[in-house]
Amino acid sequence: MKHANEHGEYVVDRSRQTIMFSARGPWNDETMKRGAKEMGDYIAQLNLSKPWGTLSCLYGESLMPPSTYQSFLKHTLIRKSMGLKALAVVIRDSEIANTIKSQLVPAYEEADLKFAFLSDVNSACTWLSEVNVELDKQQVEQFFTKNAFIHPNR
């Protein structure tokens, strides 16, 4: 659900030790603030003594202005300190995939996280499993099928 003054939209959920995030940007500070809280609620449900990760599908112009990027970096570092092991990212329905990657990579590198940009959810599930992050592949695929932010005229 989109709130007043927010740019971008997203849905978040959890599958075993994996946080699932499907979103269409660009995003602003208001969206990032609400998203960080919602994601924190799902992280609290994880077993933090075991490896955990995120699988994100990003659609459209999934970019952040500098202030939102700083918040993203801060939350990425906090999640790393809470045991975040790996991030799998799929970029879809976007003309600017390389630009999105160039914004995300420095944050992931600064947090010293394992990350991969993959071509589809199935590959992302396989990659996360290979780095010992638990997920239910069927549940993950259903989540991303249901929550695809694809515009019909693309």
Side-chain angles (χ1 to χ4, degrees):
M1 176 171 71
K2 194 168 178 180
H3 294 8
N5 300 321
E6 289 188 10
H7 296 182
E9 53 191 327
Y10 68 89
V11 179
V12 64
D13 204 343
R14 178 181 72 90
S15 173
R16 296 188 184 156
Q17 287 295 103
T18 301
I19 301 296
M20 303 175 292
F21 182 78
S22 185
R24 177 172 280 279
W27 300 290
N28 63 1
D29 293 345
E30 292 81 3
T31 308
M32 181 65 66
K33 183 177 178 182
R34 186 172 61 85
K37 183 193 177 316
E38 284 187 31
M39 194 169 283
D41 292 342
Y42 284 98
I43 292 168
Q45 298 172 23
L46 297 169
N47 178 348
L48 298 180
S49 68
K50 296 170 67 175
W52 64 278
T54 65
L55 195 166
S56 299
C57 278
L58 306 177
Y59 297 84
E61 297 176 349
S62 293
L63 295 171
M64 302 166 267
S67 61
T68 305
Y69 176 82
Q70 288 305 313
S71 177
F72 172 77
L73 174 59
K74 177 182 116 182
H75 288 286
T76 300
L77 292 166
I78 289 168
R79 291 177 189 131
K80 166 73 177 197
S81 74
M82 297 174 71
L84 174 60
K85 181 176 183 176
L87 300 108
V89 180
V90 176
I91 300 173
R92 301 189 59 207
D93 193 38
S94 178
E95 306 271 334
I96 60 167
N98 288 334
T99 305
I100 294 166
K101 289 177 189 177
S102 71
Q103 187 175 57
L104 296 176
V105 167
Y108 297 159
E109 287 178 343
E110 185 169 332
D112 194 27
L113 287 163
K114 287 183 187 178
F115 64 92
F117 291 93
L118 299 131
S119 59
D120 57 65
V121 170
N122 184 47
S123 300
C125 288
T126 300
W127 184 81
L128 283 168
S129 295
E130 288 171 355
V131 296
N132 300 315
V133 174
E134 294 176 10
L135 55 85
D136 177 323
K137 188 175 179 181
Q138 183 177 3
Q139 180 187 17
V140 171
E141 289 176 346
Q142 287 173 347
F143 171 83
F144 286 108
T145 298
K146 178 182 174 188
N147 297 295
F149 289 100
I150 295 177
H151 286 166
N153 34 342
R154 279 210 164 192

